[in-house]
Every structure is written in structure tokens, then in C-alpha cells.
Amino acid sequence: MTGNVSNTSRTAGVTDLTALATKLAALISEDDVFVAGGKRVISHGDDPPAMVAILREVDNTVLERTLEFGLDDVTVSISAAGRRLRGVVAIDSDMPGKDKIIGHILSQEEPDLLKATGAMLNDFCANAKRITVLSGPPQMLGSSAEKGLSVATLAEVWQVNMDARAAPPMERFLTANKDKMIGHLYMSGNDVIGSSGDTARLQEVWDTQIDMFRKRHKAAQPKLDGPVLVCLDAVLGGQTSVAVGSFGKESCLFSYLPIDLPDLISSWNAVTS
Amino acid sequence: MVVDDLDALQGKFEGIETVAFADLSTQMILVTNSNSNQRREALEMLCAEATVALGSADKPALGDTPSPAAFVATKNQLRIFLRAPGEPSDVLCCVCKPDVDVASFLSDAKPCLAKISSGT
């Protein structure tokens, strides 16, 4: 994300120093993750929400650039300049009707184009697990007088809440796997802040066994730190199993069947990594 | 040789770092795969964790009964503990990478443990 820093500071059009300082702070973030090809990871689907992540990138782009967004295995390239989205220059997908979107400058006077572009991005964002961006030189699109639309306008028209924050990892894990759990308790400290299914036995386990189990586990693995999920097969009678997860101050206790265990562990890793 | 069975199991799957056969009654790791890089202290902790997670008849970890299989997922590792069906003290302790194919690994690890435990 370093490429735009000098561009931003050289641009006379940016007069709001607070906004500039915010942009600079974002640009020098040490948390950026890059993947093959120099692509920067900007979202893991819902962290932050994919559409929010894409519009933030547009909002961070001052000089004209082509932003190549990778949404899992689909690539959407857009032209952005002056913190505005000018239009879509390429879609690497067989989606029908893409010719009506590619190569046109976005304008409020073209509501069908605006709506179709928003729908296209929303569709690709809906199930994408990882969103990346690669900033490249501008590609020809319309005339330089055609500015496109600001992020504020796009967010309003496409109904994107730019202040939206991802739910805590524990909540995302529980929501994503609700159908694999017989019952669950979602705890903050010792307070139940969510539950589903059959929880009577889980509550009893929480009240009478969890503290001792955690003490014994910590004694066995003193270096245990960070998010942990412990799954114990077939301990509640028959095949009914129980798992306890910890992430910061939040915990969960849920019952499951062993057949669902690989998916549950995979999901836990995805949410906590 | 037990070590050959452990080596074969470890070598068959990507992301399996250590496979160890332990006796919970003495809380000792008896054998590991030959290229395990776990130090003695780490192996002792692994065995202690197996004892806690799998529980015993008089002290289930959680719930009502000892567990036949326990899994501990952390950021860097997935640790898998399997108990032999016929001999509750015989346990396989496995240290894996988080993205290991759990279902496939279990389908091989369970018969491997049964073979080692029965001495066949």
C-alpha cells in the first residue's frame, strides 16, 4: 500500500488535513498482508465487509489508477481517481451482461448502469472469502472530464454501511456453524450473550466443569495462549460431543456430532487465523 | 515395529509433524515417529494434555464419560489425541499443522492405533 503515499501528499486537491492524516495512517499500516503477485489482502469476506473494503480502496485513491480487485477466483478491474470510482474496465468472469458494465463511466444520470455495477460487485462479494487489491497504471476509460462517483454517493445508492464492522470472531464462528451444532452457549466472561438449541446440559457443564478443566489444561500446557478450541468426542452420551472455544474474553461451549468435526475445526481456523 | 507404523502414518499425510504412542496409565510417551523434532519437555506436555483432554472413567474432562478422541486447535497447531477402543490407556498423540485433512487422517490413524495397541 506504499505506492499511493507520495501521490496523496503531492495532490493539491486534498485540502482536508484530517482526512489526509487518516489516509496516511491507513497507508502506513503495518498490518497489511500481501499474497502472490503483490496483491494486498483487504478483506476476508466479512472482516471488513467486502463492499466496504472495496469502496475504502476507491476512497484512498487520489491519482488515476486501475484497481484490480481479486474476489476469490474472479477479478474485477476498475478505474478510480480523485477518490471516485470512474467505471469498470474489466471483469474476468463469464457473467452474463458484463458488456453493459465494462467501459462506461458511472454517473447518476445512468441509473441502470449504476445499479448493474453495484449488483455485480455485490454478487461477487457475497461469497468471497478473500478480497485482494492490486493498484496499476490507469487504463483508458472515457474522457478525463468524466469524474465518476464519490464513495459517499456510491455507498448511499448501493446501501453500503461504511461504518459497518465485522462481528467478533467468536460470533462469526457460531453463526457460520449454527446448523452443525446441537446447541451452543456464547459467553462473554461468565455471562451468556447468546445461545441456540439444547443448552440445559451445556449450561450444567459450564457451571460445574469448565473452570476445573481450564485449570488442568493450563497446567498441562502452560504455554497455551491465543484462541483455542478443544473438541471432545462422545462425552455427553452416545455420539454427542462437546467443544469449548476461547478467544480473548469470549468463549463458546457447544455440542456436536463427530461427523461435523473436520468442518468445525476448519471454520475455527479460518475465523481465528 | 511400532516406529515403522508411526513413520508410515506420519509420512502419508502432509502437515503431520509428530505421531507418538503413549501410555496414559504411566503418563509416558513410549515411541514417536523417527523424525519427530519434539523435545522431551514438549512430549511430556503433549502426554499431559492427552490425559486432561481424554479424561478417565473417574474423571471425565467434560461431560459424563471419557472421550475416545480429543482435538485441540490453536493458531499454529492441531493436536489430535486418539484412545484405543480396547485399551483405554493406549493413546495416539499427534501434532499437526492447522490445515491438515482431519477426516482422512483419522481414517488411517484409528486402525494404526488399533494395530499398535493390540500388538499385531
Side-chain angles (χ1 to χ4, degrees):
Chain A
M1 200 160 181
T2 55
N4 284 347
V5 174
S6 58
N7 299 335
T8 306
S9 58
R10 279 202 302 267
T11 302
V14 179
T15 55
D16 183 339
L17 293 178
T18 304
L20 181 59
T22 304
K23 300 293 173 211
L24 286 170
L27 290 168
I28 61 173
S29 167
E30 293 179 354
D31 296 331
D32 287 337
V33 174
F34 291 87
V35 291
K39 297 173 183 175
R40 181 164 43 85
V41 178
I42 58 172
S43 169
H44 291 281
D46 53 5
D47 182 21
M51 283 291 276
V52 172
I54 287 173
L55 291 181
R56 280 180 187 163
E57 290 305 311
V58 173
D59 201 34
N60 284 337
T61 305
V62 179
L63 293 190
E64 186 171 0
R65 289 284 182 270
T66 299
L67 300 181
E68 184 183 297
F69 291 105
L71 302 111
D72 289 346
D73 51 359
V74 173
T75 304
V76 177
S77 300
I78 60 116
S79 171
R83 300 172 64 192
R84 289 167 168 256
L85 172 53
R86 299 185 69 240
V88 176
V89 294
I91 302 173
D92 179 18
S93 158
D94 294 331
M95 69 165 284
K98 69 177 183 180
D99 291 342
K100 293 177 182 171
I101 296 173
I102 296 171
H104 302 286
I105 297 287
L106 290 180
S107 160
Q108 286 191 304
E109 292 166 8
E110 299 284 350
D112 289 346
L113 172 64
L114 189 52
K115 187 177 174 185
T117 304
M120 176 272 295
L121 286 174
N122 255 321
D123 283 351
F124 287 139
C125 286
N127 298 312
K129 291 187 168 55
R130 187 173 73 176
I131 320 294
T132 61
V133 67
L134 184 66
S135 179
Q139 295 181 34
M140 185 68 79
L141 183 69
S143 74
S144 58
E146 295 174 295
K147 301 294 188 190
L149 293 173
S150 71
V151 166
T153 300
L154 293 171
E156 184 179 342
V157 174
W158 292 343
Q159 298 186 323
V160 178
N161 178 6
M162 292 301 289
D163 297 325
R165 300 198 182 283
M170 187 68 79
E171 184 178 333
R172 281 186 278 138
F173 170 72
L174 293 171
T175 301
N177 296 288
K178 206 171 175 181
D179 60 342
K180 295 185 180 70
M181 296 174 182
I182 300 165
H184 87 261
L185 294 173
Y186 175 21
M187 320 289 290
S188 178
N190 269 324
D191 299 327
V192 179
I193 57 175
S195 65
S196 75
D198 185 0
T199 60
R201 188 71 184 93
L202 291 175
Q203 187 68 60
E204 196 179 327
V205 169
W206 183 270
D207 291 340
T208 61
Q209 294 182 309
I210 283 291
D211 283 348
M212 181 56 71
F213 174 73
R214 282 178 165 165
K215 278 178 192 165
R216 296 184 69 217
H217 195 193
K218 186 73 180 172
Q221 282 282 3
K223 294 174 183 170
L224 203 62
D225 197 16
V228 181
L229 179 70
V230 180
C231 304
L232 306 178
D233 275 4
V235 293
L236 286 182
Q239 286 296 298
T240 304
S241 308
V242 70
V244 57
S246 306
F247 195 124
K249 291 180 180 175
E250 295 192 333
S251 306
C252 67
L253 183 68
F254 62 88
S255 46
Y256 66 95
L257 293 176
I259 193 170
D260 291 319
L261 178 97
D263 287 343
L264 289 164
I265 289 177
S266 175
S267 176
W268 176 266
N269 288 335
V271 167
T272 58
S273 64
Chain B
M1 295 277 286
V2 172
V3 69
D4 295 332
D5 292 325
L6 298 179
D7 282 348
L9 181 63
Q10 184 265 334
K12 187 172 179 182
F13 296 91
E14 274 191 35
I16 306 294
E17 295 168 0
T18 293
V19 185
F21 179 63
D23 177 7
L24 290 193
S25 65
T26 57
Q27 293 200 28
M28 285 179 65
I29 297 277
L30 302 177
V31 194
T32 72
N33 59 301
S34 53
N35 60 355
S36 170
N37 59 4
Q38 297 282 325
R39 290 167 180 253
R40 182 175 165 180
E41 182 192 32
L43 288 174
E44 286 172 354
M45 286 194 286
L46 190 66
C47 191
E49 186 173 44
T51 305
V52 173
L54 293 172
S56 58
D58 61 339
K59 194 183 282 186
L62 294 175
D64 309 315
T65 58
S67 181
F71 306 81
V72 180
T74 67
K75 269 203 162 181
N76 304 316
Q77 285 183 342
L78 174 65
R79 296 188 286 276
I80 300 175
F81 306 105
L82 299 176
R83 190 197 301 274
E87 179 49 68
S89 294
D90 288 354
V91 169
L92 206 59
C93 306
C94 315
V95 180
C96 320
K97 290 185 176 167
D99 58 352
V100 69
D101 183 343
V102 175
S104 296
F105 177 69
L106 289 179
S107 67
D108 277 45
K110 287 177 179 175
C112 176
L113 173 60
K115 181 185 173 196
I116 294 171
S117 178
S118 64
T120 56

